[in-house]
Amino acid sequence: MIELLGLERVENSAVEELLDRAFGADRHGRTAYRLREGVPALTGPSLAAVENGALLGTIQLWPVLFSGDDGRRVPLVLVGPVAVVPERQRDGIGRQLVAGALARVTDAPLMLIGDPEYYGRFFGFSAASTAGWRLPGPVERRRLLARGEGVPDGQGSIGPRHPLIA
């Protein structure tokens, strides 16, 4: 039976090894990694999927900030990466991780870079409000998704949300 645990209960080296297996060692250059530079993953909603002591998957959530061109500052939660060991992909583990993590975030809008058909169908994410968002790297616009009350609409930049920045 798969158990979802707080990610802080898993060795960081095991998480990094899993992420390398799932996404490749060159993953650090991606735009999503630049969005979370210098800030730790959120404890609580960041989870690990474990079965019989073996790490099968992880999901990490990160504090980010929308800085609107109009002066608005809206805290968001960046969802991802969601990683599952290659030999167990398509077993529903990723969906369990996403559902478990999203259930733990009730106080902020969520965003991610991902497949709009999957995340829209199963979790209600859409690109309806993200067309004016600027990120610190390239992104395929249709894959820049958000959901939740208070998702900012309009022009602005997304970047890491450091603890001293509200």
Side-chain angles (χ1 to χ4, degrees):
M1 185 167 129
I2 296 173
E3 182 180 9
L4 298 182
L5 308 172
L7 191 61
E8 67 277 4
R9 296 178 55 189
V10 177
E11 288 293 325
N12 189 54
S13 60
V15 173
E16 290 298 312
E17 181 180 316
L18 170 62
L19 291 170
D20 282 347
R21 286 186 66 206
F23 299 114
D26 64 342
R27 62 190 161 84
H28 294 281
R30 295 180 181 178
T31 298
Y33 276 82
R34 295 174 65 190
L35 285 173
R36 50 190 184 248
E37 283 179 350
V39 295
L42 297 170
T43 56
S46 296
L47 300 171
V50 177
E51 184 176 56
N52 299 323
L55 180 62
L56 300 181
T58 62
I59 185 169
Q60 294 173 307
L61 283 77
W62 307 82
V64 295
L65 184 69
F66 172 85
S67 297
D69 292 354
D70 60 3
R72 287 178 298 152
R73 295 167 69 78
V74 180
L76 299 157
V77 173
L78 172 65
V79 178
V82 180
V84 176
V85 293
E87 61 273 14
R88 294 293 300 271
Q89 291 176 359
R90 304 217 182 277
D91 285 357
I93 297 168
R95 192 178 307 173
Q96 270 187 278
L97 285 164
V98 174
L102 297 184
R104 290 167 172 80
V105 179
T106 59
D107 60 347
L110 301 149
M111 67 162 291
L112 59 78
I113 300 171
D115 179 53
E117 291 78 22
Y118 177 82
Y119 287 102
R121 177 179 174 201
F122 294 111
F123 301 108
F125 283 86
S126 83
S129 298
T130 64
W133 295 7
R134 294 182 304 276
L135 278 70
V139 65
E140 189 179 341
R141 285 283 153 201
R142 66 183 284 285
R143 295 175 53 83
L144 181 57
L145 309 172
R147 78 164 224 185
E149 192 172 322
V151 170
D153 197 1
Q155 303 291 314
S157 298
I158 302 286
R161 179 170 31 115
H162 297 276
L164 299 177
I165 299 174

